[in-house]
Amino acid sequence: MNEPYTPDEIILIKNGELALKGLNRRTFEDALMNNLRYRLRHSGEFTLRKSQSTIYIEPKNPYADMEEACDCVSRVFGIAAFSRARVTSKDLGAIQQAAVEYLGERLQECATFKVEAKRSDKQFPYTSPEISREVGGYVLSRYPHLKVDVHNPDLLIMVEVRDFGAYIHAQQLPGAGGMPVGTGGKAAILISGGIDSPVAAYMMAKRGIKLTAVHFASPPYTSERAEQKVISLLEKVGRYAGNMTMHIVPFTHIQEEIRNHCPEEYFTLIMRRFMMRLAQKVARDADCKALITGESLGQVASQTIPALAVTDALASMPVFRPLIGMDKEEIVTIARRIDTFELSIQPYEDCCTVFTPRHPNTRPKLRLVEEAESVLDVQGLVKEAMQGIRTLQI
Ligand code: ATP
Ligand code: MG
C-alpha cells in the first residue's frame, strides 16, 4: 500500500449567503459540493470535505492544477470568498517556517504586514493572539525590512489552526457570490446571439437557477455560424451556470408565414408570441418552472410595457427579465466581466433581425394583435416547430 498523499496546498471555501439559510443549509451545502466536484473535473483529482462551515478542496496527488482549480472555484455560485492555502502540521515552529516559505516572495516585495490567527482547535496550546505574535516575530526576524501595520498592511498573513491541520494564506479571494446552481429550481433561458440574453442567463444562474437553453434559428436566413456563436456564448455562461441542454427550435416557417400574412407593424410582436408559446412547451417538457429573457425596458420597440403585455398575455409561467431596469452600459459591464461581450458583438444575424418591420407598433393592443395572428394556423405551426427541435448538451 502506498502512503496516502498529503497535499501541501489546498483551497478553503467559506460559504457566503449559505450561512443565512438556516434549515436549508444542508441542501445548499450539498448542492455546492456537487457543483464544485463537477466543475473541478478537468483540473485534477480532488477530495472535498466539509467541516465548520468550510469546504476543503484537497488534491489527491501532485498533478492537480491548482491555478486552474482556483479559477474554476472563482466562478462557482454560492461562494463569498475563498483562499488558496498552505497546509502544515499543527506545530508552531512548522507554522512559522511555512509562513515565510509560502509567502516569502510577497513579503520581500512589501513594506508592511500583519498576522491574523484563528484557532478553532482549542487543543492547540497557543491562543490566537499568541500565534499572531509568534508568527509575526518570526517573519520580522527573517525580513528585517518589514514593519507591522495592524490597520492597513500591504500583506495580511492569515493563520488558521483547524481540525485537520494548520493553514496559512494571504488575503481571501472574492468568490462569485450568489446561491449554488440548482437550489433555485430550473428555468428556460431564451438565448439569442446578442449581448443581453447571456447576461440574463448569468444573473438568474447566480440566484441558484439551473438553466435549460432555448434558441430559435431561421435557416437559411440565419447561418450555421450564427448558431455556433450561440453555442459558444452558452459555453461561456456555462463556466458559471454549469452544464445545460440547448434546444434549437426551427423558426423559419413561422417567420415566413407571419411575413406573408400579417400586417408589418405587428411582425415582431407576433413572432415574440410564437417564441413564448414554443419556449413554454420546451420549458414544461424539461421540467422548468419559469422563462428568462434578456429584455430591458425601452431598449427596442418590442420592449415597451404594452408590447411586453402582449407577449405576457400568453404566459402560463413566470417570465423573469433580470435586465428590465438596467442601462445598456450596465449590461455591457457584466457582459465584459463574464467574457461574453466580444462574442456577442460578432456580427451574425439573429432571427429577430431577419424580418424587422420599418415601423413597429410600440403601443399595441392585445385584441388587434390577436386578430392579426388569427389568420395563421397557430397550433399547426407550433406543432411543426416542436417536431423539428434539435437538442445538444453544453
Ligand atoms: P439580446 O441582446 O439578448 O439579443 P435584444 O436587446 O437584441 O436582446 P431582442 O432581439 O428584442 O432584444 O430579444 C429580446 C429577448 O428575446 C432576448 O434577450 C432573448 O431572451 C429573446 N430572443 C431574441 N432572439 C432570440 C432567439 N433567436 N432565440 C431565443 N431567444 C431569443
Ligand atoms: Mg437580439
Side-chain angles (χ1 to χ4, degrees):
M1 274 284 284
N2 290 339
E3 281 281 299
Y5 174 72
T6 319
D8 64 356
E9 222 185 357
I10 66 165
I11 301 172
L12 287 174
I13 296 174
K14 315 284 172 64
N15 299 343
E17 285 196 35
L18 298 196
L20 304 173
K21 285 291 164 185
L23 287 177
N24 286 334
R25 181 167 173 158
R26 266 296 282 283
T27 329
F28 280 59
E29 283 180 342
D30 290 349
L32 179 55
M33 299 268 280
N34 283 335
N35 293 349
L36 279 166
R37 256 183 223 110
Y38 181 77
R39 297 301 181 78
L40 287 168
R41 71 198 184 287
H42 297 310
S43 314
E45 291 179 52
F46 298 91
T47 307
L48 270 69
R49 58 177 156 178
K50 194 172 67 175
S51 168
Q52 299 171 325
S53 68
T54 299
I55 293 172
Y56 296 71
I57 301 179
E58 303 173 343
K60 282 188 185 167
N61 53 47
Y63 312 116
D65 185 338
M66 291 298 279
E67 202 66 40
E68 193 187 284
C70 285
D71 194 44
C72 288
V73 167
S74 75
R75 287 191 293 265
V76 174
F77 293 128
I79 297 171
F82 67 99
S83 335
R84 182 172 169 174
R86 171 68 182 263
V87 186
T88 182
S89 57
K90 292 196 261 187
D91 168 83
L92 187 62
I95 293 172
Q96 290 172 319
Q97 194 64 40
V100 295
E101 256 176 47
Y102 191 54
L103 299 169
E105 234 167 77
R106 293 170 70 177
L107 285 165
Q108 203 101 51
E109 285 163 9
C110 59
T112 60
F113 79 106
K114 172 189 176 181
V115 180
E116 219 172 85
K118 249 196 249 158
R119 177 188 64 150
S120 50
D121 173 6
K122 301 296 177 202
Q123 306 295 316
F124 190 70
Y126 298 86
T127 64
S128 300
E130 284 167 355
I131 301 169
S132 300
R133 207 168 50 232
E134 292 297 324
V135 175
Y138 187 75
V139 168
L140 280 173
S141 75
R142 297 292 301 271
Y143 296 93
H145 75 281
L146 286 174
K147 286 204 161 42
V148 173
D149 180 345
V150 292
H151 300 298
N152 195 19
D154 295 339
L155 183 71
L156 177 68
I157 302 177
M158 306 275 299
V159 177
E160 303 189 44
V161 181
R162 292 168 161 268
D163 295 5
F164 311 122
Y167 306 93
I168 293 146
H169 57 87
Q171 201 112 34
Q172 291 188 333
L173 304 166
M179 326 254 250
V181 166
T183 56
K186 212 171 155 193
I189 169 75
L190 282 77
I191 184 102
S192 70
I195 296 169
D196 304 330
S197 41
V199 172
Y202 160 84
M203 287 177 72
M204 295 317 295
K206 187 171 182 179
R207 295 319 298 159
I209 300 265
K210 174 94 187 145
L211 301 176
T212 285
V214 182
H215 175 65
F216 298 94
S218 295
Y221 305 103
T222 60
S223 63
E224 178 83 26
R225 293 184 68 185
E227 195 176 297
Q228 192 53 50
K229 173 185 169 183
V230 179
I231 294 171
S232 304
L233 278 169
L234 285 175
E235 284 166 354
K236 289 277 184 196
V237 171
R239 300 189 315 159
Y240 295 89
N243 59 325
M244 64 188 102
T245 304
M246 177 186 187
H247 304 259
I248 303 170
V249 186
F251 212 48
T252 317
H253 191 201
I254 290 175
Q255 285 195 290
E256 286 174 341
E257 284 291 292
I258 299 172
R259 182 197 54 189
N260 294 341
H261 302 290
C262 301
E264 188 180 323
E265 62 174 320
Y266 295 136
F267 277 5
T268 310
L269 281 165
I270 295 175
M271 180 189 78
R272 297 203 62 79
R273 282 165 61 86
F274 272 98
M275 283 189 176
M276 191 65 116
R277 290 186 185 95
L278 286 159
Q280 274 179 155
K281 273 195 187 294
V282 174
R284 245 177 264 125
D285 291 349
D287 203 28
C288 294
K289 307 294 184 209
L291 299 181
I292 304 165
T293 78
E295 288 161 305
S296 162
L297 200 66
Q299 205 183 78
V300 292
S302 62
Q303 298 176 19
T304 61
I305 292 179
L308 293 175
V310 165
T311 39
D312 274 6
L314 286 172
S316 60
M317 58 177 74
V319 182
F320 295 147
R321 299 182 169 95
L323 313 186
I324 199 72
M326 288 169 74
D327 290 347
K328 198 72 188 186
E329 221 178 278
E330 296 170 299
I331 300 169
V332 166
T333 302
I334 301 178
R336 284 188 196 280
R337 182 150 51 78
I338 63 173
D339 200 28
T340 53
F341 183 73
E342 293 300 327
L343 269 172
S344 289
I345 58 174
Q346 287 179 8
Y348 294 114
E349 62 298 320
D350 179 56
C351 69
C352 285
T353 50
V354 179
F355 306 121
T356 22
R358 277 157 300 182
H359 304 291
N361 191 325
T362 55
R363 293 170 184 224
K365 294 228 167 17
L366 179 59
R367 190 178 53 79
L368 297 180
V369 177
E370 282 172 345
E371 216 173 276
E373 124 196 314
S374 68
V375 300
L376 303 175
D377 173 15
V378 173
Q379 291 320 315
L381 286 167
V382 166
K383 193 167 165 201
E384 179 194 313
M386 287 300 291
Q387 280 165 351
I389 290 180
R390 285 175 292 134
T391 60
L392 44 111
Q393 300 305 320
I394 304 287

